[in-house]
Amino acid sequence: MLSDMSTVVTLAVFAPIVGAAIVGGFGRWLGNIPSQAITTGLLFVACALSWFTFIQHTWGGMEDFTVTVLPFINIGTFHSAWSIRIDALSSTMLIVVTSVSSLVHLYSWGYMSEDPSRPRFFAYLSLFTFAMLMLVTAADFMQLFFGWEGVGLASYLLIGFWFQKESASSAAIKAFVVNRVGDFGFALGIMTVYWQFGTINFHELFPMIAAHQGQTWEFLGQSFSALDLAAFLLFIGAMGKSAQFFLHTWLPDAMEGPTPVSALIHAATMVTAGVYMVCLLSPLFEYAPVAKMIVAYIGAITAIFAASIGFTQNDIKRVIAYSTCSQLGYMFFAAGVGAYQAAMFHLFTHAFFKALLFLGAGSVIHGMHHEQDMRKMGGLWKYLPITYGVMTIGTIAITGLGIPETQFGFAGFFSKDAIIESAWAAHNTPQGMFAFCMGIAAALLTSFYSWRLIAMTFHGKKHWEHNEAHGHDHHHEVIDGHDASEPAHDDHGHDDHHGHGHDHKPHESPWVMLVPICLLAVGAVFAGVGFAPYFIGEHAQEFWGHAIFTGPTNHIMHEAHEIEEMWVKLAPLAVTLLGMLLAWYYYIARPNLPKQMAAKDGPVYNFLYHKWYFDEVYQATFVKLTKILGDFFWKVLDIKIIDNLGPNGAAWTALKSAKNLVKTQTGYVYHYAFAMFLGVVGLLTYVFWLVH
Amino acid sequence: MDFNLALHLGLPETILAVSSLLILVFGAFRGDKGMISVSALCGVALIAAAFAAAFGHQGAAFGGSFIVDGVALFAKVAIYIAAVFIIVLGQGYFDRVGAGRFELPILILLAALGMSLMVSAGDLISLYVGLELQSLALYVLAAFRRDDAKSSEAGLKYFVLGALSSGLLLYGASLVYGFAGSMNFHDIAQSATTNLNVGLIFGLVFVICGLAFKVSAAPFHMWTPDVYEGAPTPIVAFFAGAPKFAAMVLFARVLQTGFAAQADQWRQVVLVLAVLSFVIGALGGLMQKDIKRLLAYSSIANMGYALLAIAAGAVGIPALLIFFVLYMVDTLGLFTVQMALSRKGEPVTRIDSLAGLSKTNMPMTIVLTILCLSVLGMPPFSGFWAKYFVFGAAITSGLWQFAAAGLVASVVAAFYYLRILKLMWFDVPAGDMDKSPLETRWIAYAAAAFSFPVVIVFLVYVYPLAQSAAQGFGS
């Protein structure tokens, strides 16, 4: 049984890379349709196998196990192997990743149908999926890091997929560079762990942690808790990958990538890797109270901060991107207060409704002929009825509508309320109270901007109608300093394909795009009610097994169930309804009000519209400072000092001495004889001096 | 000492001496028309001598003044084979320039005989006799194109300065004899350990200076570029290889047999010569425009590396042997390429003229590329191994600073070889090349093939040979 399961999970993990290799290497030769069929087919195989594994693990009584595929590094006491670790965490991630990925593959058949380099796109998608699967099934830090960097690479390649577009390629570079900052911390964290424990293998590491509690590390006369240090450094890696406060700036720009990519990588899977890592390392974080507190604070701040930006943005994808950022904040503060199960549950449900929202947005963009500015939409519900329907489901799910104390609610209701309740359960700590308040406030904002998105896009006046006069020009209008339209080549033949001619009426997307969205909508509705008992409910204990560790004093999950204050349970619902009402008021009842507010150009509006001026501040400090430093190293240190004293100076000296040397070569025999004479005398003197 | 045994030990020299006299008589009757048959006969004599040396016995004869040990035999075989190649090249070259005379191969034969006596010299008399036999033959060879002003100049310069160096050597020899009371290296060694005085050391320094001239080590190198530029190319190819090998073995023998106990003193002198040689060789080459002058500086630098092997003491001897064999092949190849290249009958002498060679003569470009990479010490070519063994020996005996200095010098020297590569591969051709003469072409190919990959096989078999040959050297 176990060996069969080993084969199953090995196939599931490696199927995507097979597709990526075939299509990446021979895609042009194979053609578009075979390339798409190979990658998508293999992904569906991986998805089926992953679900099989998950079912076996959850209901089939399968034990946790680890398959060792190949040895990787064996130097001294440092051992690492390519392996596949299967437990509750990884099998959950397996289904999340492969399900969303296979649906996104399918969706891309329609969305990318006019792109000339589709094989490359599908190869990258499959490559990403493989790297993500390596990440989630890692049994040691080395492979975790490999997957971590692998998804980073795929993310870079896909953000810059339309590399002809300058904004896309600079967004790709930005994502890569910001992630380097996080990865640097991550690598330091791994080294700290190895330095303290002498192993990077989770299986060996976790049982050792309790014994190292209280160990300190002296630095600059200060002593730091070694476990806190390791956990904090690792969390920096998580902050980079999961776009948390300070390292979040790359995520909104990452929306330059094709929308399916945003759905898969920058919403449902890769960005949740940080949350996954923190939950995976719960045995470490449980003994690192300071690091845990930082996680909670950063998460809570991100949740409110991203949500606050979300409600001033006009680019449909950016709104969802900030929403992602904010939801990741929820997951982190849940993990930070010790409710890892709730964090994982929210990760799980979020994957469905956020992928749904993104793919829905993609459908809107597709139907609007690559228009992303919500101010130019409106009244679309009649033209894109199915998209409208599923987007509404997604919005209900993300805002977490449901009836407390019952089993009626969408996916987000179960997971988000669990998070807020567990934050309340920790309200006797400052970070718990802070997280609870921020969580409630962010819920209000989430509800507001989510419904604002629906209102601006699907209701109200048809702002796109009067744009027709402008013809094609609106494709290239600049929004928010970025060229918001997809690249020029994407426009070629676009209209012919759909037979619209120059009629710019929005149209519903093809079925190949709608089917994945509808499947995700099912998940967005039922993932909460279906899985709540296992992730956070009565079966949680046997479901998680040893995958998540909670310290002896951590009773958060238990206390979250025992909350007696009714208002705590009702508060999320109340603020959600309030947000919904406000959105309705501002964008449907009084649609001119927001415009007037924006026109007033007030400081709060500007502050939020410019994303708290993070990009500007980073530009003025880090980027500029780095440039100055680089200029200094280049122009002064390298050219003036190293080159002049080093290579150039040496070459110059050699040439100069060569010239002088050649001058002695006069051609006169008596000069030569004289030189010989000098040589003899010199050597004699030298020897004389030596002897005495 | 049995005279019979003595003759047995001296078989290669006997073959060379007797055949040179016989061939001279034969040549006198045939005149210059018979040059080709004279060349062939000389070649046969050399090959016979090489066989005799290869399978010869070891021992000492004539009261210890003639020593046949592993190193001597090893060097003799290498020298004879090198001489055969020079005869082949010289035959073709002088034939083409119309200066062919039957004395040429006989002079080469006599020079080889002189070198062979040098490597076997066991006392100061045989040292001087061998050296002079060799030198006199080489003076004539340098001026062999006597109607050519440059060749005559080269011969004269070489002769005058060579005479001066012989004088230094003789003066040193007489000092050594005067203070040690013996000509024989072993006796000198004994006397030096029991009764060392400054006069003996001074004598040694003079001998070193005389020998340093023969190997063109700085500061006794100044004749080299001028002579290399003027003398006929095959003769220069000879100069650069075999005589230096012989002189270097003699150098090692005098120091390690005669003055083994004074190693600390002479090591310093040899190191000074070595460092000066590779520094001057590397820097001097930077400004050269003439191919043969450039190769002269290259050989000066290489003599520096060989001296480093001598300074390393007993561990340096196998390195020295291997170094010289590999160096001789590379040098022979480089000069052969120079002979192979001509444009409208005019030999290519300037480095600039190699521009764009890859577009006009691909095979020679490849050969020259391999040889250049080899002499600059690029693995896995033979020049790398030559340096590898020498530097290895130097480091083993604690001379790592000098090995490092040698490495730096070879980096500087790499410039002029790389410039040749750049010229050949990337520059615009200056015109079509003539078809290369047959023998130059094949010898060049063979040298390049030796540089890589043959050298790998060669080293597997010959390195152990060189090590066993060096066993007991100097005792």
Side-chain angles (χ1 to χ4, degrees):
Chain A
M1 179 63 197
L2 206 58
S3 69
D4 294 345
M5 281 317 291
S6 306
T7 320
V8 167
V9 294
T10 312
L11 284 177
V13 170
F14 286 95
I17 190 67
V18 172
I22 294 173
V23 173
F26 310 102
R28 279 177 187 279
W29 181 73
L30 284 169
N32 287 332
I33 297 298
S35 299
Q36 290 165 223
I38 288 169
T39 46
T40 313
L42 283 167
L43 239 296
F44 272 99
V45 169
C47 181
L49 295 173
S50 300
W51 274 99
F52 178 68
T53 311
F54 181 77
I55 288 164
Q56 284 295 328
H57 189 273
T58 310
W59 293 285
M62 187 178 69
E63 293 293 312
D64 295 352
F65 65 95
T66 303
V67 188
T68 306
V69 182
L70 270 178
F72 181 22
I73 297 176
N74 281 313
I75 303 169
T77 58
F78 187 91
H79 299 288
S80 175
W82 298 110
S83 24
I84 301 172
R85 174 185 52 85
I86 296 297
D87 58 15
L89 275 172
S90 65
S91 58
T92 305
M93 289 305 282
L94 274 180
I95 56 165
V96 170
V97 173
T98 54
S99 305
V100 178
S101 179
S102 49
L103 292 178
V104 165
H105 270 76
L106 188 62
Y107 177 88
S108 305
W109 283 57
Y111 191 83
M112 300 299 285
S113 61
E114 296 135 32
D115 198 277
S117 34
R118 271 170 282 165
R120 184 163 63 92
F121 181 78
F122 280 83
Y124 286 169
L125 276 188
S126 284
L127 172 71
F128 163 77
T129 312
F130 169 70
M132 190 70 201
L133 293 178
M134 289 306 277
L135 191 162
V136 300
T137 59
D140 61 28
F141 274 114
M142 203 69 208
Q143 186 180 329
L144 186 69
F145 194 67
F146 168 83
W148 200 267
E149 296 302 311
V151 292
L153 168 73
S155 158
Y156 165 79
L157 291 172
L158 283 165
I159 295 170
F161 181 73
W162 289 318
F163 53 82
Q164 306 91 330
K165 207 163 62 152
E166 205 190 319
S167 58
S169 88
S170 58
I173 292 170
K174 185 174 181 181
F176 205 78
V177 170
V178 174
N179 268 296
R180 287 280 74 60
V181 177
D183 292 349
F184 185 63
F186 188 33
L188 285 178
I190 295 174
M191 290 173 213
T192 313
V193 166
Y194 181 68
W195 169 62
Q196 279 181 44
F197 299 98
T199 180
I200 53 161
N201 197 311
F202 300 144
H203 174 69
E204 294 165 10
L205 170 71
F206 290 162
M208 291 159 70
I209 292 174
H212 282 72
Q213 199 180 5
Q215 199 175 351
T216 57
W217 179 64
E218 298 289 330
F219 183 68
L220 293 175
Q222 301 282 313
S223 67
F224 297 92
S225 155
L227 290 176
D228 275 318
L229 177 74
F232 174 66
L233 288 171
L234 292 167
F235 176 60
I236 290 179
M239 280 168 71
K241 194 68 55 190
S242 295
Q244 291 301 287
F245 195 60
F246 294 126
L247 295 180
H248 66 278
T249 52
W250 65 272
L251 185 61
D253 286 13
M255 299 303 131
E256 290 290 342
T259 309
V261 172
S262 310
L264 174 61
I265 301 183
H266 306 117
T269 56
M270 183 187 83
V271 291
T272 61
V275 180
Y276 169 76
M277 182 184 59
V278 172
C279 293
L280 173 69
L281 298 178
S282 52
L284 178 63
F285 279 88
E286 280 298 277
Y287 289 105
V290 179
K292 236 174 103 177
M293 188 185 76
I294 295 172
V295 173
Y297 276 122
I298 293 282
I301 291 170
T302 311
I304 185 77
F305 147 83
S308 74
I309 295 175
F311 82 88
T312 57
Q313 299 302 310
N314 293 318
D315 184 322
I316 185 167
K317 281 176 76 182
R318 277 173 183 258
V319 173
I320 309 179
Y322 278 108
S323 152
T324 305
C325 207
S326 161
Q327 297 299 314
L328 290 166
Y330 272 101
M331 299 176 207
F332 272 112
F333 78 66
V337 299
Y340 305 102
Q341 295 89 338
M344 279 305 290
F345 188 39
H346 196 51
L347 187 163
F348 178 75
T349 56
H350 173 257
F352 290 102
F353 58 70
K354 191 47 67 66
L356 166 63
L357 283 172
F358 259 118
L359 294 186
S363 175
V364 170
I365 294 166
H366 191 73
M368 282 295 290
H369 311 285
H370 296 281
E371 178 56 67
Q372 294 185 202
D373 190 342
M374 293 192 296
R375 286 171 300 189
K376 294 180 181 151
M377 300 178 183
L380 289 178
W381 65 273
K382 221 184 336 183
Y383 301 90
L384 291 83
I386 298 172
T387 308
Y388 173 58
V390 291
M391 284 286 274
T392 311
I393 292 174
T395 304
I396 297 174
I398 194 174
T399 54
L401 271 186
I403 304 163
E405 298 287 285
T406 65
Q407 294 300 314
F408 298 106
F410 284 56
F413 161 70
F414 291 91
S415 53
K416 195 187 216 163
D417 282 18
I419 287 178
I420 292 175
E421 282 163 20
S422 47
W424 174 254
H427 76 278
N428 47 354
T429 61
Q431 69 264 34
M433 196 62 208
F434 180 72
F436 174 74
C437 296
M438 291 303 123
I440 294 286
L444 171 69
L445 293 179
T446 305
S447 171
F448 179 76
Y449 68 68
S450 301
W451 289 110
R452 168 179 175 263
L453 186 149
I454 294 291
M456 284 181 80
T457 312
F458 294 103
H459 296 280
K461 261 172 53 187
K462 298 169 187 169
H463 299 288
W464 39 272
E465 273 179 336
H466 66 268
N467 271 346
E468 277 183 69
H470 298 303
H472 281 281
D473 291 346
H474 77 259
H475 288 255
H476 302 291
E477 264 179 51
V478 172
I479 295 165
D480 195 16
H482 291 279
D483 183 359
S485 67
E486 317 268 46
H489 71 74
D490 215 55
D491 294 349
H492 297 324
H494 181 280
D495 295 345
D496 305 338
H497 181 80
H498 292 286
H500 285 283
H502 284 273
D503 175 16
H504 272 233
K505 213 172 259 169
H507 58 86
E508 184 62 284
S509 300
W511 278 107
V512 75
M513 288 166 69
L514 293 177
V515 167
I517 307 181
C518 293
L519 285 173
L520 285 170
V522 174
V525 175
F526 296 109
V529 63
F531 289 94
Y534 297 95
F535 281 79
I536 51 168
E538 59 266 32
H539 302 301
Q541 198 64 38
E542 59 263 44
F543 175 75
W544 291 112
H546 301 290
I548 286 180
F549 173 84
T550 43
T553 57
N554 181 349
H555 306 296
I556 292 294
M557 286 314 290
H558 181 69
E559 283 167 18
H561 289 301
E562 309 280 302
I563 290 172
E564 282 159 11
E565 294 91 337
M566 200 55 204
W567 66 270
V568 173
K569 297 186 182 183
L570 289 176
L573 180 66
V575 294
T576 302
L577 291 174
L578 178 65
M580 202 169 160
L581 207 67
L582 284 172
W584 171 83
Y585 177 74
Y586 275 107
Y587 292 93
I588 296 179
R590 302 279 304 277
N592 285 329
L593 216 54
K595 275 184 204 152
Q596 287 162 7
M597 286 169 79
K600 250 198 277 178
D601 215 24
V604 176
Y605 173 81
N606 264 333
F607 183 64
L608 296 179
Y609 183 75
H610 288 108
K611 302 161 275 183
W612 291 32
Y613 292 104
F614 256 97
D615 280 331
E616 287 79 2
V617 170
Y618 280 2
Q619 185 71 31
T621 52
F622 296 117
V623 177
K624 211 161 180 188
L625 222 68
T626 311
K627 263 194 171 156
I628 291 171
L629 209 65
D631 268 1
F632 171 74
F633 280 122
W634 167 37
K635 287 177 182 158
V636 178
L637 212 62
D638 191 40
I639 293 183
K640 289 224 171 103
I641 296 178
I642 293 181
D643 276 0
N644 275 357
L645 295 184
N648 290 349
W652 182 83
T653 316
L655 212 64
K656 190 91 178 162
S657 17
K659 273 184 189 153
N660 287 332
L661 196 71
V662 170
K663 274 188 205 146
T664 64
Q665 199 76 30
T666 53
Y668 295 115
V669 172
Y670 59 90
H671 283 167
Y672 295 0
F674 184 65
M676 283 171 68
F677 176 70
L678 283 183
V680 172
V681 173
L683 287 177
L684 281 176
T685 317
Y686 180 52
V687 169
F688 194 72
W689 176 77
L690 272 181
V691 173
H692 285 87
Chain B
M1 182 61 62
D2 190 4
F3 186 67
N4 220 1
L5 177 67
L7 281 183
H8 207 74
L9 289 175
L11 185 61
E13 286 78 8
T14 315
I15 292 173
L16 291 182
V18 172
S19 54
S20 64
L21 296 175
L22 290 177
I23 297 168
L24 188 61
V25 175
F26 170 78
F29 280 105
R30 288 293 308 273
D32 289 341
K33 296 193 300 296
M35 185 186 169
I36 185 137
S37 41
V38 172
S39 289
L41 284 171
C42 289
V44 170
L46 281 167
I47 290 166
F51 268 102
F55 300 104
H57 293 285
Q58 301 189 9
F62 305 114
S65 64
F66 186 75
I67 298 172
V68 181
D69 57 6
V71 172
L73 291 176
F74 188 98
K76 279 177 197 175
V77 174
I79 289 165
Y80 299 155
I81 293 171
V84 173
F85 279 104
I86 300 301
I87 288 176
V88 173
L89 287 174
Q91 166 67 35
Y93 176 86
F94 285 99
D95 217 29
R96 281 193 296 280
V97 300
R101 307 209 173 272
F102 75 90
E103 290 93 344
L104 180 91
I106 298 169
L107 282 167
I108 294 173
L109 204 59
L110 285 170
L113 176 59
M115 291 171 210
S116 150
L117 286 174
M118 281 161 77
V119 298
S120 278
D123 67 11
L124 293 170
I125 293 288
S126 51
L127 177 157
Y128 188 70
V129 170
L131 199 67
E132 281 306 288
L133 178 57
Q134 177 242 198
S135 297
L136 286 168
L138 294 185
Y139 299 148
V140 182
L141 285 171
F144 204 75
R145 289 182 69 181
R146 59 187 179 220
D147 49 350
D148 181 85
K150 278 207 155 177
S151 178
S152 311
E153 183 197 333
L156 194 65
K157 271 185 181 164
Y158 190 31
F159 176 66
V160 172
L161 294 172
L164 180 64
S165 83
S166 290
L168 291 174
L169 186 89
L170 268 183
Y171 185 58
S174 62
L175 274 177
V176 169
Y177 175 62
F179 282 97
S182 172
M183 293 282 189
N184 189 285
F185 294 158
H186 283 289
D187 297 342
I188 294 170
Q190 229 157 22
S191 156
T193 26
T194 54
N195 176 29
L196 178 70
N197 59 39
V198 180
L200 195 60
I201 297 290
F202 270 31
L204 175 63
V205 172
F206 275 104
V207 172
I208 289 176
C209 292
L211 288 172
F213 175 86
K214 297 294 172 197
V215 298
S216 69
F220 307 98
H221 66 283
M222 305 199 71
W223 59 276
T224 324
D226 291 8
V227 172
Y228 276 31
E229 189 188 354
T233 311
I235 302 305
V236 180
F238 193 40
F239 279 7
K244 298 212 160 120
F245 192 10
M248 211 50 101
V249 171
L250 184 59
F251 215 135
R253 199 186 292 286
V254 171
L255 295 174
Q256 296 193 8
T257 309
F259 294 88
Q262 283 72 49
D264 287 341
Q265 277 97 39
W266 59 252
R267 177 170 295 134
Q268 298 303 317
V269 178
V270 172
L271 284 174
V272 168
L273 295 176
V275 172
L276 278 177
S277 297
F278 55 60
V279 169
I280 288 180
L283 292 178
L286 295 180
M287 301 297 291
Q288 299 309 319
K289 297 185 170 59
D290 186 276
I291 297 173
K292 288 202 294 185
R293 284 186 85 88
L294 174 71
L295 291 173
Y297 281 103
S298 159
S299 91
I300 293 169
N302 275 302
M303 287 313 110
Y305 302 132
L307 285 171
L308 201 56
I310 290 182
V315 288
I317 299 301
L320 180 72
L321 298 179
I322 291 293
F323 178 84
F324 254 104
V325 173
L326 302 182
Y327 161 76
M328 286 196 327
V329 177
D330 274 349
T331 327
L332 183 73
L334 285 168
F335 281 108
T336 311
V337 170
Q338 200 267 327
M339 275 183 266
L341 297 176
S342 61
R343 193 169 272 145
K344 300 200 181 75
E346 281 294 304
V348 168
T349 56
R350 291 176 59 81
I351 296 172
D352 299 347
S353 316
L354 293 173
L357 190 64
S358 61
K359 277 126 200 153
T360 53
N361 191 344
M362 194 42 128
M364 275 305 152
T365 311
I366 292 170
V367 166
L368 196 49
T369 304
I370 290 177
L371 292 172
C372 280
L373 289 175
S374 175
V375 279
L376 76 79
M378 180 77 73
F381 298 103
S382 60
F384 163 73
W385 297 107
K387 288 201 177 84
Y388 170 80
F389 287 118
V390 168
F391 290 154
I395 290 167
T396 312
S397 42
L399 304 175
W400 62 268
Q401 308 92 323
F402 298 93
L407 218 58
V408 171
S410 74
V411 169
V412 176
F415 165 77
Y416 46 76
Y417 304 118
L418 291 175
R419 184 176 53 172
I420 294 179
L421 295 190
K422 180 242 170 197
L423 276 170
M424 289 193 305
W425 288 99
F426 303 113
D427 285 8
V428 183
D432 276 350
M433 288 285 178
D434 300 335
K435 196 170 156 54
S436 310
L438 187 72
E439 82 281 358
T440 57
R441 219 182 314 150
W442 284 103
I443 291 178
Y445 295 162
F450 181 86
S451 248
F452 189 78
V454 178
V455 69
I456 304 294
V457 183
F458 176 84
L459 283 176
V460 169
Y461 290 101
V462 178
Y463 186 63
L465 211 63
Q467 270 183 317
S468 67
Q471 291 269 312
F473 180 78
S475 56

